[in-house]
Amino acid sequence: MRTSTRTLLAAALVLGVAAGPAITPSFARTPGVQAAFQAPNPDLAARMSAAIAGLPRADATAALVRISGTEGSWQGSSGVHDLETHAPADPDARFRAGSVTKVFTAATVLQLASEGRIDLDRTARSYLPELIPGGYARVTVRQLLNHTHGIPAPDFPGETVEEWYAHRFDVHTPKGMVRSATAKPREFRPGTRQHYLNIGYTVAGLIVERVTGDSFERQVERRVLRPLGLRDTYLPGTAAGITGPYNHGYQTMRLDDGTTGLRDVSVWRATDGWAAGDLVSTTADLERFTRALFAGRVVRGPLLEEMFTLPKVPDARSGRPAAFSAGLSMKRLGGREVWGKTGGRWGYNTAVASTRDGARTLVYSVNSTDAKGQDMNPTALDVMVAAYGMPDQGDVTGQARP
C-alpha cells in the first residue's frame, strides 16, 4: 500500500490514541504467517495473510487476527514471541487491550441501567456528590459514556515516552484522576460537543462501584467475563506484568546509551487506564465477547441501542460529526457501517469490530512499536482494510460522518 494512501486511511481510521515518536528500527528474521483455520472464503484468507505477512518489521513485531461470521472465518498469526529467541508468536497469548476496555465498562453500566440501578439521564454528581464539583453538576451518565461530558483529562507526569516509561510503575487512583481532571475548567458545555477521553469512563467505573457496593473489577467479572466464559480475560488492578503467556511488546524510544531502539515494555502498570483501558485478554475471548455483544446477549433490549447511537454533536477538535457512541465507534468501510473499538497500550494495539448484523467480525492484536503514535499502526490498518475494505470517500475527505 502506497505511503500517501496509507496516511489518508490512517487519518480516517485512527481512534483515540495519543501522539508519540515514530522512529524506524530494522529486523532480519521473518517466521511467516501461521494460519490455523480458514473457511469458506479463500479471497478473505489471502487478504488477511498478506496483511500480516513479513513480521517482525519496523512497525510491529507480531500480529494475532481472528475473522468470523457468516461471510467466512479465518484465524492467523505472524511475527515473533520476543526479539531474543525469535520463537513464533503464540496465537493464544494474552495482551493489553487498551481502550477496548471501554466496551466492557459501557456494557456493565448499561446492564445496571436495565436493572434500574443507574439512570443514564441522571447526573454523575448525584451519584458521587463528594467527588464531582459544582462546575460539572450537569454532566449525565450518558454523556460520560459517549464522550460529550466536557471534563478534561487529568494530569500525569511526563511529556515524552521516555518520561512515561520512567513512571511506568506509578499507581494512579480513580478518585485521584477525577479530582485532577475536575479541578480544571470544563472544555465545553456538556452535551454540545464530543471529545474522546478516558476520564468519562473513570467516573463511570466509580459510579458502578457506588451503586453496587462492589468493586468495578468484580462487577465486570460477574456480569460479563464469567457468563461468557472469558477465562483468559481479566482486569489487572495494580499488577504490572501480564499473567499467563504473552507475546512481548516493544516501544521505539531513546535507550540508556543515548541511541534510539526498541525497549521491552510488556511490564507496565495500567492504573492510568482503569475502567477506560486496563483490560488484558486474548483474541479468542474478544471474538466471543464481540459476537455475544452484537447478538444482544450482553446488553439486552432497548439499551443495546445506546451502543449504536451517535450523539448529534460535532467533534470538539475537528468539527466533524461525532464518531463515538456508548462504548463503540462507527466507520464506513467497504460501503457499509462497521462498529467497534480500538485500543492502545505501550507495545500493543487491539481492536474489536463487526458489521451490525454480525456477518463479519474482526479481532486483532498487533504488537506495535509505537502503539500510541499519532497515526494508526500500518499493520493494524492493513488488517482492517483487508477485513472490510477501504473507507468510504467521505470518511477520508471529511465530507461524511466518521
Side-chain angles (χ1 to χ4, degrees), residues 179-197:
R179 291 191 184 100
S180 172
T182 57
K184 307 174 189 180
R186 70 187 188 191
E187 293 187 331
F188 48 80
R189 184 163 54 87
T192 62
R193 298 181 186 179
Q194 184 174 80
H195 185 190
Y196 177 88
L197 289 171

Side-chain angles (χ1 to χ4, degrees), residues 34-37 62-66 75-81 87-95 232 245-247 281-285 363 365:
Q34 307 297 316
F37 172 76
L64 315 177
V65 182
R66 282 177 178 259
Q75 176 186 337
S77 62
S78 181
V80 296
H81 169 266
D90 178 358
D92 300 317
R94 290 174 174 172
F95 49 81
D232 291 315
Y246 63 91
N247 298 315
S281 192
T282 64
T283 56
D285 272 8
V363 174
S365 171

Side-chain angles (χ1 to χ4, degrees), residues 37 39-42 44 67-74 287 291 336 354-362 388:
F37 172 76
N41 189 329
L44 174 63
I67 298 280
S68 63
T70 57
E71 296 179 350
S73 300
W74 187 85
E287 181 180 69
R291 291 182 64 79
R336 56 184 173 178
S354 181
T355 54
R356 181 68 193 273
D357 60 4
R360 178 165 297 175
T361 67
L362 166 69
Y388 293 110

Side-chain angles (χ1 to χ4, degrees), residues 270-284:
T271 55
D272 60 308
W274 194 52
D278 71 350
L279 192 79
V280 173
S281 192
T282 64
T283 56

Side-chain angles (χ1 to χ4, degrees), residues 1 10 65 81 83-84 90 105 117 140 161 169 181 183 189 198 232 236 250 264 309 324 334 336 342 391:
M1 186 181 294
V65 182
H81 169 266
L83 291 176
E84 293 183 2
D90 178 358
T105 302
R117 303 173 73 178
T140 67
V161 63
F169 295 131
R189 184 163 54 87
N198 283 349
D232 291 315
Y250 298 88
D264 191 326
T309 302
F324 296 93
R336 56 184 173 178
T342 59

Side-chain angles (χ1 to χ4, degrees), residues 243-264:
T243 301
Y246 63 91
N247 298 315
H248 289 236
Y250 298 88
Q251 168 66 35
T252 304
M253 66 173 75
R254 188 177 64 256
L255 304 179
D256 295 339
D257 62 3
T259 64
T260 295
L262 292 178
R263 190 187 291 275
D264 191 326

